[in-house]
Amino acid sequence: MDDFEKEYPDFDWKNTPAYKHPGGRNCPCPKHEYIREQINFTKQVNEKGKEPSKVTLKFCPDHYRVYLDEVIPAMPLKYRILTKIALKLGAIQIEQLKYMESELCFYCKFGSGGHDKKTELPPM
């Protein structure tokens, strides 16, 4: 993370939509690193089971509603359509966590720029 902040000192990665990040999906920010790790882990698990790859997004109850009601509708048309197709096909699964499991929530972990905005990453 320190390298990323040195390379992009004025870039607010927590409050900028992922599709606007430098380098697109190859952005070196912590949020994209986490997504890449999840995708790689999912691929490894699915290769053993020979099932198609699935990405699971985990959200606390508050961020679950925010993602479905605000984030997806605010996406550019192309990404919104692709996301909805991926959800219907099951390539992306959205899991709603209980409030006690909110440390596993993607937005709680990396800051959302909205509800309960985090100013820094939680300790690992």
Side-chain angles (χ1 to χ4, degrees):
M1 185 160 121
D2 294 332
D3 296 337
F4 178 78
E5 289 178 352
K6 287 177 188 173
E7 288 182 40
Y8 303 97
D10 296 329
F11 184 71
D12 185 13
W13 61 270
K14 291 181 185 177
N15 299 318
T16 304
Y19 64 90
K20 290 185 179 178
H21 283 213
R25 68 179 205 190
N26 297 322
C27 176
C29 77
K31 189 181 286 189
H32 278 95
E33 282 294 323
Y34 178 78
I35 293 170
R36 279 191 289 276
E37 284 177 22
Q38 276 212 325
I39 290 172
N40 290 335
F41 175 75
T42 303
K43 284 181 182 177
Q44 290 173 356
V45 168
N46 288 328
E47 283 175 4
K48 292 176 187 172
K50 301 295 182 203
E51 295 178 14
S53 286
K54 293 180 183 173
V55 175
T56 303
L57 299 173
K58 298 178 181 182
F59 298 115
C60 66
D62 293 331
H63 285 124
Y64 179 82
R65 287 187 291 278
V66 168
Y67 188 76
L68 291 179
D69 299 339
E70 296 176 24
V71 174
I72 292 176
M75 289 178 180
L77 182 62
K78 174 178 139 184
Y79 296 108
R80 189 174 10 172
I81 291 170
L82 290 172
T83 301
K84 287 183 179 184
I85 291 170
L87 286 168
K88 285 188 181 184
L89 293 175
I92 298 175
Q93 295 179 335
I94 299 177
E95 183 178 321
Q96 184 174 359
L97 302 168
K98 294 177 175 52
Y99 279 107
M100 297 181 308
E101 301 173 317
S102 62
E103 71 275 357
L104 300 173
C105 172
F106 180 75
Y107 281 123
C108 290
K109 196 175 207 176
F110 292 112
S112 64
H115 176 77
D116 289 338
K117 179 179 161 187
K118 306 282 189 214
T119 56
E120 60 183 50
L121 286 172
M124 296 304 242

